[in-house]
Amino acid sequence: MKAPRIPMEELMGSGHLACQGCGATQAMRFALKALGPKTALTIPACCWAVIDGSFPHSCIELPIFHTAFETAAVVAAGIKVGLEMRGDSETTVMAWAGDGGTYDIGLQALSGVAERNDDIIYVCYDNEAYMNTGIQRSSSTPVGAWTTTTPVDNYKKEPKKNMIDIMAAHSIPYIATCSVAWPEDVIAKFRKAKEIKGTRYIHIFTPCPTGWKFAPELSIQMARRAVTSHVFPVLEITEHGQKIEVWKDFEPTSVRDYFKPQGRFKHLTDEEIEGLERDVEQKWRRLLAKEKMMASIPGME
Amino acid sequence: MKKVIMGNHAVSYGVRASEVKVISAYPITPQTHVVELLSEMCANGEIDAKFIKVESEHSAMAACVGASAAGSRAFTATSAQGLLLMHEMLHWAVGARLPIVLANINRAVGPPWSIWTDQNDSLSQRDVGWLQIYCESNQETQDTVPQAFKIAEELQMPVMLVMDAFFLSHTYEIVDMIEKEQVREFLPPYKPDIKIDTADQHSFGNLAGPDHYMELRYMIQKAMDRGLDVIKRVDSEFEEMFGRGYGLIEPYRCDDAETILVTSGTVASTTRVVIDELRDEGVRVGSLKIRVFRPFPIEDVFEVLSKAKKVAVIDRNISFGAHGIFYQEIKSALYGRTDIPIIGYIAGLGGRDITPKVIREIADKAIGDEQPERYINWIGVKI
């Protein structure tokens, strides 16, 4: 990964209302460093609806429009067009939603925006459950995890939905995943997205100490291990869904080491963990095979 | 210039004259002609607006919310299920104080599926905080669009223009067309002080604790209270410029009327025909059309109805377990100030025709019934 210059300017101030060690808070800080002051945000119901601060305070020095749970993508599209029609075509409009607002309740509106290629950046900060309402499962919650609605005796049996493939199927110009463990990569991807027109989808992996039950100081370690264990691949999809580039330049670590500090996986037996490790590896191989296959299509070399 | 146009297109031409900047909509019968014509106008440059063709009515209202918050004049149109799907975002538009205008073509709600008119869709949105104006003719519909924007932008409140499916939406009438050059004088471009603007950052709609929420709701009610005067003033400004005004309510031959029939929408025109018939027979009867339903013009209604001996309310809607919805409003407006009997009639649900004969039947019953005991009378039910 190339290291870009990280701006000193902070558009997110202290005094926010996040939990200690919140990955979503770091994600916002890095994203805004990349996007700069000509940016407007819309935030649906999610942790960030609270993190921003309560009226009349806000920890962000940008216009933010708080909106209903399922509407982030389309409200952003409305804002973009509304700004354009009153003569401001410069401002970048970003929808900033959690995994519940993206994978579940907001999927329809997001699909509409992506299909129309509306000119916005859509960010899913993924903490893998409804954390703001108190840790309920979403369709982003990984298989094997405990949440308050997937108790230990009946932990989540269904795999995490493949949001990236869903977005790629919309043929949008830019899709990227990144992890808060690599701020330089997060910043580089937001900078790249800013220069592209149309719907840009950025998926940031943001560990949640409160919901995943690990110590707050381990947040970055979790964000790193998720990637190095192949649980959360860091990638870019360009050429309207036709070109995949998966980041592989790291020392692989085990899924077990990623699970270990997290209380949400504590109930899993050795055998179950081995099974999940095999699943992760198989998905990783499929992804690499797809990357290779896509690159081999005539015209894509 | 006068043209013969359908009710739906009267809305579209009103939108064109109002120089709307963002339109977002989803197809639903019987509203579809409104946005079909608007997309044509956007495509051929007749109107300088962007049309966001969304995947649902919920998103249509959400897109309008975003566009309006960004400082652009925004419009949508819908009916029945579409309006119901928008419900959450109707609230959002009010709380965020966004002057969006929505045309709702009254259509009965399913199941069973019905595409024909009744008012339960718009009236089930009674308490969300949108102003509601019920139109009676294509002329009034066209003229109400720029009025609605002017009212909305002054109050920073959204306005719903309501009209009957088919009886108005698909009916062709002569309309004296308004053009944007003229309307611009009446309705200047929308330039809100507070909007999404990177040079003036605000966080809109973030968490408000019990210390603040109630004040924000109080301010919405204050805007509604102010609404009646603003609607009246805007209407007379329009009348001055275009020679047509519509008022909050429209009394017809009420001055010496013993019995007054209360109506709304297209039923008002039919009722006037029946009133004339009855007057010819020497019956002292009049009618009162309610044009503005929210805010409800209590004083104006009271002034007209308090002179009568009996009031009959025709509702093309029903609040199940209670009464007709206009009936409840009328009763509430008169409560404690007069003991005139108020009788409620439910008619024309799901698009069943309310003919002069039906209205005559209602009038005869109301006039003949010396001591009405029932608050709800169903007209023409075949069970």
Side-chain angles (χ1 to χ4, degrees):
Chain A
M1 287 178 184
K2 277 182 281 178
R5 195 183 65 80
I6 297 178
M8 294 298 285
E9 193 187 1
E10 297 285 358
L11 288 163
M12 195 192 116
S14 55
H16 61 73
L17 301 181
C19 307
Q20 277 193 327
C22 170
T25 313
Q26 303 174 57
M28 178 68 91
R29 186 175 165 229
F30 302 149
L32 297 186
K33 277 179 180 286
L35 296 178
K38 284 293 276 179
T39 306
L41 271 71
T42 183
I43 300 180
C46 62
C47 287
W48 253 102
V50 176
I51 296 171
D52 180 33
S54 67
F55 178 83
H57 305 290
S58 169
C59 67
I60 289 187
E61 285 181 62
L62 292 172
I64 302 181
F65 189 84
H66 289 267
T67 190
F69 216 156
E70 65 278 52
T71 63
V74 68
V75 165
I79 293 172
K80 180 65 189 176
V81 169
L83 289 174
E84 273 174 6
M85 290 310 291
R86 67 166 182 81
D88 173 6
S89 6
E90 206 193 322
T91 296
T92 300
V93 180
M94 173 164 74
W96 183 271
D99 49 283
T102 304
Y103 283 72
D104 294 341
I105 198 167
L107 187 60
Q108 175 177 322
L110 174 57
S111 175
V113 160
E115 183 271 330
R116 290 188 304 273
N117 200 22
D118 289 338
D119 191 20
I120 65 153
I121 296 179
Y122 186 98
V123 177
C124 171
Y125 68 93
D126 186 3
N127 53 27
E128 301 194 316
Y130 290 88
M131 295 313 184
N132 194 39
T133 44
I135 326 169
Q136 293 82 28
R137 66 94 85 185
S138 75
S139 57
S140 170
T141 302
V143 58
W146 162 91
T147 67
T148 55
T149 51
T150 48
V152 167
D153 290 338
N154 187 23
Y155 63 76
K156 189 162 181 279
K157 302 291 191 306
E158 307 79 20
K160 181 181 172 105
K161 191 190 277 181
N162 190 335
M163 198 58 213
I164 308 304
D165 275 5
I166 291 172
M167 294 315 292
H170 286 79
S171 306
I172 53 174
Y174 187 68
I175 296 169
T177 67
C178 47
S179 159
V180 287
W182 285 273
E184 65 277 25
D185 184 50
V186 174
I187 289 169
K189 281 170 174 162
F190 273 89
R191 278 194 177 145
K192 191 167 176 178
K194 190 184 170 184
E195 301 310 318
I196 297 168
K197 265 192 97 68
T199 306
R200 294 138 285 168
Y201 178 80
I202 299 182
H203 196 119
I204 315 184
F205 193 76
T206 57
C208 171
T210 311
W212 300 1
K213 306 293 174 202
F214 66 82
E217 65 270 23
L218 298 181
S219 202
I220 295 301
Q221 195 181 97
M222 291 302 100
R224 185 174 295 120
R225 282 187 189 171
V227 174
T228 53
S229 65
H230 301 157
V231 165
F232 185 85
V234 166
L235 52 79
E236 266 182 322
I237 302 178
T238 51
E239 311 283 341
H240 298 274
Q242 304 305 306
K243 187 178 178 188
I244 308 177
E245 288 168 282
V246 183
W247 185 55
K248 304 178 254 325
D249 186 19
F250 52 80
E251 281 300 311
T253 57
S254 74
V255 173
R256 189 178 294 270
D257 282 351
Y258 168 60
F259 279 5
K260 208 169 176 187
Q262 300 182 41
R264 64 174 173 159
F265 295 119
K266 215 167 99 186
H267 54 275
L268 296 175
T269 62
D270 279 350
E271 209 180 4
E272 285 169 327
I273 292 176
E274 276 161 28
L276 293 176
E277 277 179 323
R278 279 194 297 276
D279 287 352
V280 166
E281 214 37 46
Q282 203 51 31
K283 274 187 184 154
W284 174 252
R285 284 188 201 122
R286 270 209 304 275
L287 179 64
L288 296 187
K290 194 171 174 184
E291 179 187 34
K292 218 168 148 185
M293 184 273 287
M294 299 290 269
S296 72
I297 295 171
M300 292 306 297
E301 304 91 340
Chain B
M1 189 185 55
K2 286 185 178 169
K3 269 174 99 169
V4 178
I5 56 171
M6 74 191 302
N8 277 338
H9 287 171
V11 177
S12 318
Y13 286 112
V15 170
R16 184 181 72 173
S18 303
E19 296 187 88
V20 166
K21 293 295 172 194
V22 181
I23 299 158
S24 184
Y26 186 77
I28 185 168
T29 302
Q31 161 276 135
T32 322
H33 297 103
V34 177
V35 296
E36 277 174 0
L37 184 56
L38 284 171
S39 32
E40 220 174 287
M41 289 170 172
C42 287
N44 67 20
E46 254 179 81
I47 172 171
D48 178 27
K50 287 247 170 85
F51 196 132
I52 311 177
K53 288 142 196 175
V54 284
E55 84 306 324
S56 71
E57 287 91 350
H58 195 278
S59 284
M61 186 44 62
C64 287
V65 161
S68 184
S72 280
R73 190 172 284 159
F75 173 84
T76 188
T78 191
S79 290
Q81 315 301 133
L83 187 68
L84 305 186
L85 186 60
M86 280 181 187
H87 178 76
E88 181 193 28
M89 297 316 288
L90 295 179
H91 276 286
W92 214 273
V94 173
R97 302 296 297 269
L98 300 170
I100 299 161
V101 170
L102 177 159
N104 182 65
I105 319 304
N106 271 144
R107 166 181 161 179
V109 172
W113 282 116
S114 167
I115 56 168
W116 297 278
T117 200
D118 77 33
Q119 298 169 324
N120 259 84
D121 57 351
S122 55
L123 290 175
S124 70
Q125 308 307 313
R126 182 184 65 175
D127 300 333
V128 297
W130 279 61
L131 283 77
Q132 288 196 1
I133 304 176
Y134 287 76
C135 295
E136 183 194 339
S137 69
N138 292 356
Q139 184 71 61
E140 182 186 354
T141 300
Q142 180 208 231
D143 295 349
T144 299
V145 178
Q147 286 199 9
F149 276 109
K150 189 159 178 155
I151 295 159
E153 289 164 14
E154 181 161 340
L155 296 172
Q156 289 294 127
M157 291 284 282
V159 177
M160 191 184 299
L161 177 162
V162 189
M163 64 195 274
D164 290 330
F166 301 105
F167 294 121
L168 201 56
S169 70
H170 287 57
T171 298
Y172 282 73
E173 291 182 337
I174 299 170
V175 172
D176 197 348
M177 307 295 285
I178 49 173
E179 297 302 335
K180 63 183 175 192
E181 293 75 16
Q182 245 180 318
V183 172
R184 206 174 289 153
E185 266 181 72
F186 167 77
L187 175 71
Y190 179 48
K191 288 200 171 118
D193 292 337
I194 298 176
K195 57 192 171 291
I196 295 172
D197 185 352
T198 52
D200 178 29
Q201 312 99 340
H202 297 274
S203 184
F204 299 92
N206 57 342
L207 193 66
D211 264 0
H212 295 110
Y213 187 90
M214 199 159 154
E215 283 68 21
L216 296 168
R217 287 317 184 244
Y218 175 79
M219 287 160 76
I220 291 169
Q221 175 65 12
K222 284 287 137 194
M224 275 286 193
D225 289 348
R226 220 152 51 80
L228 291 170
D229 285 340
V230 171
I231 297 168
K232 268 189 198 167
R233 202 202 67 232
V234 165
D235 189 49
S236 48
E237 284 171 21
F238 188 91
E239 190 169 7
E240 227 167 84
M241 206 172 278
F242 297 95
R244 296 180 298 272
Y246 303 96
L248 301 171
I249 55 171
E250 191 185 329
Y252 183 71
R253 303 183 81 164
C254 283
D255 283 346
D256 62 340
E258 290 182 348
T259 303
I260 296 176
L261 304 187
V262 179
T263 61
S264 57
T266 54
V267 182
S269 332
T270 322
T271 304
R272 281 195 288 269
V273 173
V274 177
I275 298 297
D276 286 345
E277 268 174 34
L278 286 161
R279 282 282 181 174
D280 287 348
E281 293 167 24
V283 185
R284 284 164 65 182
V285 62
S287 71
L288 175 68
K289 175 181 97 168
I290 308 291
R291 176 172 181 254
V292 176
F293 178 74
R294 278 289 178 275
F296 197 77
I298 293 179
E299 291 308 322
D300 298 67
V301 166
F302 177 76
E303 207 186 304
V304 174
L305 296 184
S306 58
K307 291 177 195 143
K309 291 194 173 132
K310 207 179 275 180
V311 173
V313 185
I314 305 176
D315 270 299
R316 195 172 227 158
N317 62 76
I318 170 82
S319 171
F320 296 117
H323 314 111
I325 294 167
F326 279 87
Y327 172 79
Q328 295 180 42
E329 298 286 335
I330 299 293
K331 204 165 69 161
S332 150
L334 266 52
Y335 178 76
R337 304 168 74 175
T338 164
D339 51 10
I340 308 165
I342 309 162
I343 318 161
Y345 297 91
I346 308 290
L349 301 189
R352 188 171 297 182
D353 214 352
I354 301 182
T355 59
K357 201 174 149 223
V358 171
I359 294 164
R360 178 77 196 224
E361 183 190 339
I362 291 169
D364 287 346
K365 281 189 176 177
I367 294 160
D369 193 355
E370 285 303 321
Q371 280 185 311
E373 288 172 13
R374 295 170 61 199
Y375 300 121
I376 182 164
N377 298 274
W378 289 77
I379 299 300
V381 173
K382 292 172 281 193
I383 298 174

